[in-house]
Amino acid sequence: MRLTRRTAWGAAAVGVTAALVLSGCSSGSGDEPEDEPAMSSEVLIPVKLQLQWFTQAQFAGYYAAIDQGYYVDEGLDVQIIEGGTDIVPQSVLADGSVDYAIAWVPKALASREQGAGITDVAQIFQKSGTLQVSFADKGISTAADLEGKTVGNWGYGNEFELFAGMTAAGLDPATDVTLVQQQFDMNAFLAGDIDAAQAMTYNEYAQLLEAENPDTGELYTADDFTAINWNDEGTAMLQDAIWANSEKLASDEEYQETTVKFIKASLKGWIYARDNPEEARDIVVAQGSQLGNSHQLWQTNEINKLIWPSPDGIGMIDEDAWTQTVDVALTTKNDQGATVITTEPDAEAYTNEYVEQALAELEEEGVDVSGEGFEPIDVTLEAGGN
């Protein structure tokens, strides 16, 4: 009998499970026993991963790790739980409903300050993917150019890079701009109601390039827009990271070992997405994502740009980037006068201990964990992202 892998997709596209299955085959030699003891997913350690949004290529690495059997290779049976507008992944992790969660660092630190026992154990995104986008004829290319403009933001903790950028440029967000609540789309921007709109490089910005320019009858191009990139403005904050249960990390040896295994397999999934973006896109699309093929390929490519290259190894938490995130979270006030956090996070807020172990194992296997030679691909977006 030959051991093979199969991906079991949840019918409701709510979760996916990595499982081992057995498929019988005969070599004709008679050398193999006819009846081997069956192996099931019960021998694997069950693990639940909470995402922070719906199924899309933002999470391609985790879906790829299931599809390619990387979690099973580490003895894990991983179930991915979709996020949504009303789900706070770090809270789901803190209450014990899942084993790991994907969350932005500032939002997770806010939850941690409120009592959530969570620790950043692998910093997947090395850069911020948040932009403030404008039509090119508005003349907005830096935070200082926002003065006197109508500026949209989503709120819900997504606004602090914008507010930090305006403050650093000498603008008072309360008086120097007109702030508007932006929906999670670009409709108000395209209608001309917003001068500068919040957008993720891998999602809302692509939506603009998938839309028809009414003046030309063709799709918009990048030349039609300008974008403020908070990495360039110096107010970027760390985003997608893998968070674990702090108490279990401190006291549960099996959970510690599982954390290394989970990180290792997840990193292999992201490396697969780096080296095989089209295939990674297909894996996500097969999950029933509401986004189209070209949009998902764009997203995979843009996510790769946020991860690679990773000079210290994918998942390593850079102290300077962490410090900048904390500084913005401590000092920047939003339009309600609130900061993300009010006190410096303690030493348990993040650790490189487990990702270092995972990286060491991957390097021993000859895996490229830094992606120094990474080059993004060219993606042509179709109308509506199809």
Side-chain angles (χ1 to χ4, degrees):
M1 301 185 75
R2 177 170 55 89
L3 193 64
T4 62
R5 301 190 190 95
R6 178 177 67 189
T7 304
W9 304 109
V14 173
V16 292
T17 303
L20 280 175
V21 296
L22 289 169
S23 63
C25 67
S26 174
S27 66
S29 66
D31 295 331
E32 295 180 8
E34 292 295 328
D35 296 302
E36 289 186 19
M39 180 182 292
S40 75
S41 61
E42 292 178 357
V43 303
L44 303 175
I45 299 172
V47 171
K48 290 183 179 180
L49 171 66
Q50 176 67 60
L51 303 183
Q52 62 184 348
W53 199 241
F54 302 104
T55 299
Q56 58 182 19
Q58 179 182 357
F59 313 110
Y62 311 107
Y63 288 113
I66 284 181
D67 184 82
Q68 295 299 300
Y70 298 148
Y71 290 126
V72 169
D73 289 343
E74 297 300 320
L76 307 180
D77 178 17
V78 174
Q79 180 184 10
I80 295 180
I81 312 297
E82 273 193 313
T85 55
D86 58 346
I87 294 174
V88 181
Q90 60 269 24
S91 297
V92 178
L93 170 63
D95 70 19
S97 298
V98 298
D99 301 286
Y100 305 99
I102 308 303
W104 285 16
V105 170
K107 297 180 184 181
L109 289 180
S111 295
R112 201 174 191 283
E113 186 172 86
Q114 295 165 11
I118 55 176
T119 299
D120 183 348
V121 291
Q123 186 59 52
I124 303 303
F125 289 10
Q126 300 294 304
K127 304 171 187 174
S128 168
T130 309
L131 304 173
Q132 206 71 23
V133 183
S134 304
F135 278 103
D137 60 8
K138 295 288 185 181
I140 301 172
S141 59
T142 69
D145 297 328
L146 294 172
E147 184 174 8
K149 306 298 185 181
T150 300
V151 179
N153 74 90
W154 298 313
Y156 301 104
N158 296 289
E159 72 273 22
F160 285 96
E161 291 171 306
L162 165 64
F163 280 79
M166 289 191 290
T167 302
L171 301 181
D172 184 344
T175 59
D176 292 335
V177 302
T178 301
L179 296 168
V180 296
Q181 178 73 42
Q182 182 182 328
Q183 300 301 310
F184 287 96
D185 57 45
M186 303 304 284
N187 294 337
F189 172 77
L190 289 171
D193 298 331
I194 297 175
D195 294 320
Q198 200 160 51
M200 302 307 296
T201 59
Y202 50 83
N203 197 354
E204 291 78 16
Y205 183 69
Q207 292 174 24
L208 297 179
L209 303 179
E210 296 160 358
E212 181 182 303
N213 182 340
D215 294 333
T216 66
E218 304 292 333
L219 297 184
Y220 283 110
T221 71
D223 292 337
D224 294 313
F225 307 103
T226 58
I228 302 170
N229 187 316
W230 302 118
N231 298 288
D232 298 333
E233 296 283 319
T235 61
M237 304 174 82
L238 290 171
Q239 298 183 345
D240 289 33
I242 299 174
W243 294 80
N245 183 293
S246 303
E247 182 178 351
K248 293 175 71 174
L249 285 178
S251 61
D252 187 332
E253 184 175 346
E254 181 178 344
Y255 184 74
Q256 296 167 6
E257 295 172 354
T258 298
T259 298
V260 174
K261 295 175 183 294
F262 178 77
I263 293 173
K264 178 184 177 183
S266 297
L267 299 187
K268 287 185 72 173
W270 282 114
I271 292 166
Y272 178 88
R274 177 195 70 198
D275 297 339
N276 306 276
E278 291 90 352
E279 290 83 352
R281 179 272 312 274
D282 293 342
I283 291 169
V284 174
V285 169
Q287 275 301 291
S289 172
Q290 300 302 305
L291 304 173
N293 281 9
S294 71
H295 188 101
Q296 290 286 23
L297 184 57
W298 173 281
Q299 190 166 117
T300 303
N301 195 41
E302 292 300 317
I303 293 297
N304 276 333
K305 293 179 186 179
L306 300 180
I307 300 172
W308 308 105
S310 292
D312 296 327
I314 176 176
M316 286 290 290
I317 301 163
D318 178 78
E319 185 175 344
D320 290 341
W322 178 273
T323 299
Q324 178 172 297
T325 298
V326 170
D327 287 346
V328 172
L330 275 170
T331 62
T332 299
K333 295 182 179 180
N334 64 10
D335 54 332
Q336 305 299 313
T339 58
V340 181
I341 54 177
T342 61
T343 59
E344 189 88 20
D346 62 29
E348 292 183 354
Y350 84 87
T351 177
N352 279 320
E353 175 183 356
Y354 303 97
V355 70
E356 285 176 340
Q357 294 180 53
L359 288 170
E361 292 183 18
L362 289 171
E363 288 180 313
E364 286 180 3
E365 296 172 10
V367 177
D368 174 11
V369 299
S370 63
E372 289 291 348
F374 166 73
E375 292 289 344
I377 62 173
D378 292 325
V379 179
T380 300
L381 287 165
E382 304 293 339
N386 295 322

